[in-house]
Amino acid sequence: MLKFTDQYDAVLPALESKVAEFHYFQYDTFTTEDLWQYCLKKKWKKKDIGEMRIHEMVNDIMDIRASDFVAYNQVEGLKSGSWFTEGNMADLEELLRPSHKKPKSI
């Protein structure tokens, strides 16, 4: 996992502001660390983070739209998620073998 602690500390107020904005719009699960990882892995994937200026980083952070961030997290979840983990097995069993309840008559 990439860190860049000095840069993270420098842009933390911008990250916190953006996370507060997302929370205002009911996206309550986002954290500053999630947003930071999004920037490192998506927005700045082809950039040398060590050479970026702070104002560039802050501008990129403030330009992030919630829809882009949500879409990225959904794709990452699909890539990394194990569909057949122990916790998901009950859901999978229910999906494949639903209970055979008779529909109520009206």
Side-chain angles (χ1 to χ4, degrees):
M1 180 188 289
L2 303 171
K3 276 294 186 185
F4 300 102
T5 307
D6 292 339
Q7 291 87 345
Y8 177 83
D9 291 341
V11 299
L12 185 58
L15 292 167
E16 289 171 340
S17 176
K18 187 50 84 167
V19 167
E21 176 187 321
F22 288 166
H23 286 189
Y24 177 79
F25 291 111
Q26 306 299 316
Y27 295 104
D28 296 331
T29 59
F30 300 155
T31 66
T32 56
E33 183 63 29
D34 295 334
L35 199 55
W36 178 248
Q37 290 304 316
Y38 167 78
C39 289
L40 292 176
K41 293 177 183 177
K42 181 74 175 174
K43 293 216 49 100
W44 305 326
K45 184 177 182 178
K46 296 180 181 180
K47 295 183 179 182
D48 181 1
I49 307 305
E51 297 298 318
M52 284 184 73
R53 295 178 182 254
I54 299 301
H55 73 273
E56 292 175 285
M57 297 174 94
V58 169
N59 187 53
D60 286 347
I61 290 166
M62 299 313 288
D63 282 343
I64 296 171
R65 294 181 307 182
S67 60
D68 294 336
F69 187 61
V70 169
Y72 167 80
N73 280 310
Q74 288 174 338
V75 169
E76 288 299 306
L78 291 172
K79 284 184 191 175
S80 65
S82 176
W83 292 86
F84 302 107
T85 61
E86 193 66 35
N88 292 337
M89 288 308 287
D91 293 337
L92 181 62
E93 287 291 325
E94 179 64 26
L95 179 64
L96 296 176
R97 294 188 187 98
S99 62
H100 296 285
K101 294 181 182 177
K102 293 182 181 179
K104 293 182 180 180
S105 59
I106 299 179

